[in-house]
Amino acid sequence: MKKIVNRIIQCILTMFIVSIICFALVKAAPGDPVMTYVEPNMSEEYIANLRESLGLTKPMWEQYALWLGRILQGNFGNSLMNSRPVLTQILERLPATMILMGTSMVLGFVIALFLGLYSGKNKNGILDKIVSFFCFVGISIPTFWFGIMLIYLLSVYFHLLPSIGMHSEGDGSLGDLIIHLIMPCAVLTFSNASQYIRYLRSSTITEMSSDYVAVQTAYGMKESGILFKHVLKNAMLPMITVLGMSLQTLVSGAIITEQVFAWPGIGQLAVTAVSQFDYPLIMGITMFTALLVVAGNLLADILYAVFDPRIRKAT
């Protein structure tokens, strides 16, 4: 319990440091947010008043303090593009991103569960070499290139699947959603599964050389029983960290894929915000992503204590 409390304190300090870096980087970026409002017929005096109304004439530390105070109250400010609350726009886009990223993470984990175990168990075998080859391909291939290739083959050439969007116009059914989900989910699943398999394979190889595996084999326990009842439990511990850190891909990992497939999620919103110098929206999405990373690491630490009795006793 003491360790969890310490980790929560560390998470709070981490978010504070991230907020400083986020604010500083956005302020140091080129571009002027006031220019979003400027029209050709506006006078210099009006522009100066506008700059003052946005709080841009105040000292940097005061601007940061006011922004952080609003963040702590759950107020991420209003977008410069449409004057709508930043948090409202993020929450509107969040379900689409969670559907895409959540589905790909679950599918990637299920695939890795079997291929990683059997690849590690049959180290340097034919299956291991085939799986390792596809893992290296999945890790190396840029997601945008893979997405474009799928669009060309399955949409342009064979006319099998829709190329963009989350729904067809006028069709909000589950079946239509699944059809639109196939290609972007395939791109992310291939990438996620490749990483998960490498971690699980490495852990499995380490566990297979342990004494308890030899003892269970000597007692005549079946190979599948050893793998799924004993090896998997211990090999899963490093995967907890990987899955915890993967929570941040709910936003960051979806940016390129959502842009390629015009998926209406947070990733696409982030690209639009950057292209239009919408600083409040950029900072809001950055802080939201950082919160997911910190929460994911905290969750991983808690799960470590749940699954590993040694850590539980140490706390």
Side-chain angles (χ1 to χ4, degrees), residues 38-80:
V38 172
E39 297 179 0
N41 58 346
M42 288 183 177
S43 64
E44 292 294 330
E45 183 181 359
Y46 184 86
I47 294 175
N49 292 334
L50 181 61
R51 189 182 300 277
E52 185 176 356
S53 67
L54 292 174
L56 298 177
T57 57
K58 296 179 180 179
M60 198 66 67
W61 67 267
E62 189 174 348
Q63 292 184 45
Y64 169 75
L66 292 172
W67 173 72
L68 183 61
R70 291 194 298 267
I71 290 290
L72 293 176
Q73 297 174 14
N75 179 10
F76 284 69
N78 293 328
S79 168
L80 299 180

Side-chain angles (χ1 to χ4, degrees), residues 134-139 189-198:
F134 280 102
C135 285
F136 284 126
V137 172
I139 294 172
T189 299
F190 188 35
S191 176
N192 289 335
S194 299
Q195 298 179 50
Y196 298 161
I197 288 172
R198 297 299 299 170

Side-chain angles (χ1 to χ4, degrees), residues 85-273:
V86 168
L87 186 59
T88 299
Q89 296 186 67
I90 293 176
L91 294 179
E92 286 176 351
R93 300 290 190 108
L94 184 59
T97 298
M98 289 186 67
I99 289 173
L100 175 59
M101 298 304 299
T103 303
S104 64
M105 286 176 65
V106 171
L107 289 176
F109 177 73
V110 172
I111 293 172
L113 193 64
F114 293 97
L115 293 184
L117 275 177
Y118 283 103
S119 180
K121 192 267 173 190
N122 300 290
K123 180 183 176 182
N124 296 327
I126 296 178
L127 174 65
D128 183 37
K129 291 180 180 178
I130 294 174
V131 171
S132 295
F133 170 76
F134 280 102
C135 285
F136 284 126
V137 172
I139 294 172
S140 304
I141 287 182
T143 54
F144 74 89
W145 181 87
F146 189 28
I148 291 173
M149 291 299 101
L150 285 183
I151 290 175
Y152 175 76
L153 289 174
L154 301 180
S155 296
V156 178
Y157 193 80
F158 291 109
H159 304 286
L160 296 176
L161 296 170
S163 59
I164 59 173
M166 186 174 174
H167 289 286
S168 300
E169 188 174 354
D171 189 350
S173 65
L174 177 61
D176 184 63
L177 171 63
I178 293 174
I179 291 175
H180 282 79
L181 183 64
I182 291 175
M183 282 198 293
C185 186
V187 171
L188 294 173
T189 299
F190 188 35
S191 176
N192 289 335
S194 299
Q195 298 179 50
Y196 298 161
I197 288 172
R198 297 299 299 170
Y199 279 103
L200 196 55
R201 173 187 178 275
S202 178
S203 298
T204 301
I205 292 174
T206 302
E207 294 301 322
M208 289 299 296
S209 61
S210 301
D211 292 337
Y212 71 87
V213 173
V215 171
Q216 294 296 332
T217 304
Y219 275 107
M221 190 173 187
K222 292 183 179 180
E223 182 181 275
S224 58
I226 295 175
L227 278 177
F228 287 99
K229 289 184 179 180
H230 299 282
V231 173
L232 178 60
K233 182 179 179 181
N234 295 308
M236 275 295 296
L237 290 176
M239 285 295 297
I240 292 175
T241 302
V242 177
L243 291 173
M245 295 182 65
S246 294
L247 285 180
Q248 56 92 13
T249 61
L250 282 171
V251 179
S252 60
I255 290 178
I256 297 176
T257 306
E258 288 185 359
Q259 194 67 12
V260 170
F261 292 97
W263 190 266
I266 296 178
Q268 192 182 52
L269 181 65
V271 173
T272 304

